[in-house]
């Protein structure tokens, strides 16, 4: 188990194998992704639910220069719970309203494709001022994702408060 302020790598368990997935460092939204990665390790320990961070793909140019390829990246997190695929992208918002930026249209399309294949797909949006995680379910025909944090959550939205350990324990809600 690696804390959010700890090492930038964590073990990901696959049956009897152990793999290493890099956990994001720095940058906008990375703090939430690190905390979720820590929580997902607890889910494995507690309920044998596998949820992993999808590290950023790219290629190395020379020995010291890594060039990320975010357009080819899949969803931020993927996993399986009782045979059902779980996929989501994690976002942070400090405003009263969140709307997916147009430059991330590919993320919505990927989540729609997973939903079409019967995965449970969503955007996990942390409303930082309220310390809540809003899970916006994505369906194959979902419209452009928008969350108004001041309005009551809609039918396709679950709200998860931060617990005493500063985690968003979203699995029971899903």
């Amino acid at each position: 188990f690696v804390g959010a302020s700890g090492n930038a790598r964590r073990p990901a368990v696959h049956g009897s194998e152990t793999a290493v997935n890099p956990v994001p460092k720095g940058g906008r939204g990375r703090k939430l992704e690190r905390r979720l990665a820590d929580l997902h390790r607890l889910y494995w320990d507690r309920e044998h639910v596998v949820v992993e961070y999808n590290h950023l793909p790219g290629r190395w140019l020379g020995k010291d220069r890594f060039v990320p390829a975010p357009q080819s990246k899949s969803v931020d997190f993927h996993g399986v719970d009782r045979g059902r695929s779980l996929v989501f992208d994690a976002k942070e918002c400090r405003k009263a309203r969140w709307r997916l930026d147009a430059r991330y249209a590919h993320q919505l399309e990927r989540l729609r494709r997973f939903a079409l294949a019967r995965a449970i797909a969503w955007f996990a949006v942390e409303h930082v001022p309220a310390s809540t995680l809003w899970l916006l379910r994505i369906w194959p025909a979902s419209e452009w994702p928008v969350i108004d944090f001041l309005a009551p959550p809609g039918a396709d939205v679950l709200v998860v408060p931060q617990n005493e350990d500063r985690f968003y324990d979203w699995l029971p809600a899903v």
Side-chain angles (χ1 to χ4, degrees):
F1 179 83
V2 176
S5 62
N7 192 324
R9 295 180 160 260
R10 73 169 176 85
V13 180
H14 303 277
S16 61
E17 304 178 288
T18 299
V20 176
N21 279 345
V23 174
K25 251 178 126 173
R28 195 168 153 208
R30 300 303 189 227
K31 186 175 179 183
L32 172 62
E33 290 175 352
R34 282 194 305 269
R35 288 197 327 258
L36 287 170
D38 290 345
L39 176 65
H40 299 157
R41 178 69 181 137
L42 293 175
Y43 283 166
W44 171 256
D45 292 343
R46 187 173 67 200
E47 302 176 47
H48 289 125
V49 174
V50 176
V51 181
E52 294 183 340
Y53 177 72
N54 244 347
H55 68 280
L56 183 66
R59 61 181 193 188
W60 288 93
L61 299 176
K63 289 194 289 185
D64 300 328
R65 186 161 178 238
F66 180 77
V67 178
Q71 295 301 328
S72 65
K73 184 181 177 206
S74 186
V75 295
D76 285 342
F77 292 92
H78 63 274
V80 179
D81 179 22
R82 291 170 289 192
R84 189 79 185 261
S85 179
L86 309 169
V87 294
F88 66 97
D89 269 300
K91 306 290 182 197
E92 288 183 2
C93 183
R94 297 183 184 283
K95 299 178 181 175
R97 186 172 186 261
W98 173 82
R99 183 179 193 281
L100 183 66
D101 190 300
R103 65 189 157 158
Y104 299 116
H106 64 281
Q107 293 176 343
L108 176 60
E109 288 309 311
R110 284 190 181 108
L111 289 174
R112 284 177 177 158
R113 282 198 311 269
F114 277 108
L116 187 61
R118 304 197 53 182
I120 299 173
W122 68 90
F123 280 102
V125 183
E126 179 184 28
H127 187 221
V128 176
S131 296
T132 54
L133 186 67
W134 293 57
L135 307 177
L136 175 60
R137 182 78 185 260
I138 300 298
W139 302 93
S142 286
E143 303 214 355
W144 197 261
V146 176
I147 298 175
D148 181 352
F149 297 112
L150 301 178
D156 288 331
V157 177
L158 298 171
V159 181
V160 179
Q162 197 175 68
N163 68 19
E164 62 278 354
D165 295 321
R166 300 198 47 178
F167 286 117
Y168 297 108
D169 194 4
W170 57 263
L171 187 60
V174 174

Short mmCIF file of all heavy atoms in Angstrom, two decimals, residues 9 28 31 36 51 59 74 94 168:
data_model
loop_
_atom_site.label_atom_id
_atom_site.label_comp_id
_atom_site.label_asym_id
_atom_site.label_seq_id
_atom_site.Cartn_x
_atom_site.Cartn_y
_atom_site.Cartn_z
N ARG A 9 4.92 4.73 -7.49
CA ARG A 9 4.57 3.44 -8.09
C ARG A 9 3.83 2.60 -7.07
O ARG A 9 4.04 2.72 -5.88
CB ARG A 9 5.82 2.69 -8.54
CG ARG A 9 6.53 3.41 -9.65
CD ARG A 9 7.75 2.63 -10.07
NE ARG A 9 8.12 3.07 -11.39
CZ ARG A 9 7.81 2.42 -12.50
NH1 ARG A 9 7.17 1.30 -12.44
NH2 ARG A 9 8.16 2.89 -13.67
N ARG A 28 -2.66 18.83 -13.10
CA ARG A 28 -4.05 18.97 -12.73
C ARG A 28 -4.76 17.62 -12.75
O ARG A 28 -4.63 16.86 -13.69
CB ARG A 28 -4.71 19.93 -13.72
CG ARG A 28 -6.01 20.43 -13.25
CD ARG A 28 -6.44 21.57 -14.11
NE ARG A 28 -7.89 21.60 -14.06
CZ ARG A 28 -8.63 22.05 -15.01
NH1 ARG A 28 -8.09 22.55 -16.08
NH2 ARG A 28 -9.92 22.03 -14.91
N LYS A 31 -3.76 14.53 -8.29
CA LYS A 31 -3.94 14.24 -6.86
C LYS A 31 -5.12 13.29 -6.67
O LYS A 31 -5.03 12.31 -5.94
CB LYS A 31 -4.17 15.54 -6.10
CG LYS A 31 -4.24 15.38 -4.62
CD LYS A 31 -4.36 16.74 -3.94
CE LYS A 31 -4.45 16.59 -2.46
NZ LYS A 31 -4.62 17.88 -1.79
N LEU A 36 -7.32 7.81 -5.72
CA LEU A 36 -8.14 6.70 -6.21
C LEU A 36 -7.30 5.44 -6.36
O LEU A 36 -7.75 4.35 -6.02
CB LEU A 36 -8.81 7.07 -7.53
CG LEU A 36 -9.96 8.07 -7.42
CD1 LEU A 36 -10.38 8.54 -8.81
CD2 LEU A 36 -11.14 7.50 -6.67
N VAL A 51 -9.20 -2.83 -9.86
CA VAL A 51 -9.33 -1.55 -10.56
C VAL A 51 -7.92 -0.98 -10.65
O VAL A 51 -7.23 -0.85 -9.65
CB VAL A 51 -10.24 -0.54 -9.81
CG1 VAL A 51 -10.35 0.75 -10.59
CG2 VAL A 51 -11.61 -1.14 -9.55
N ARG A 59 6.40 7.32 -25.88
CA ARG A 59 7.64 6.68 -26.30
C ARG A 59 8.82 7.50 -25.83
O ARG A 59 8.73 8.70 -25.58
CB ARG A 59 7.66 6.51 -27.80
CG ARG A 59 7.60 7.79 -28.52
CD ARG A 59 7.61 7.63 -30.00
NE ARG A 59 7.84 8.98 -30.49
CZ ARG A 59 7.79 9.36 -31.70
NH1 ARG A 59 7.50 8.50 -32.62
NH2 ARG A 59 8.03 10.59 -32.04
N SER A 74 -6.31 5.05 -23.30
CA SER A 74 -7.65 4.57 -23.01
C SER A 74 -8.17 5.35 -21.81
O SER A 74 -7.69 6.42 -21.49
CB SER A 74 -7.62 3.07 -22.73
OG SER A 74 -8.92 2.57 -22.60
N ARG A 94 -13.22 22.85 -9.46
CA ARG A 94 -13.28 23.78 -8.33
C ARG A 94 -14.41 24.79 -8.50
O ARG A 94 -14.61 25.64 -7.65
CB ARG A 94 -11.95 24.52 -8.18
CG ARG A 94 -10.81 23.57 -7.87
CD ARG A 94 -9.50 24.29 -7.66
NE ARG A 94 -8.42 23.34 -7.46
CZ ARG A 94 -8.19 22.67 -6.34
NH1 ARG A 94 -8.96 22.84 -5.31
NH2 ARG A 94 -7.18 21.83 -6.25
N TYR A 168 -12.64 8.55 -1.39
CA TYR A 168 -14.00 8.48 -1.90
C TYR A 168 -14.31 7.00 -2.13
O TYR A 168 -13.90 6.43 -3.12
CB TYR A 168 -14.14 9.26 -3.22
CG TYR A 168 -13.87 10.73 -3.07
CD1 TYR A 168 -12.71 11.31 -3.57
CD2 TYR A 168 -14.79 11.55 -2.42
CE1 TYR A 168 -12.47 12.66 -3.44
CE2 TYR A 168 -14.56 12.90 -2.28
CZ TYR A 168 -13.40 13.45 -2.79
OH TYR A 168 -13.18 14.80 -2.65
#
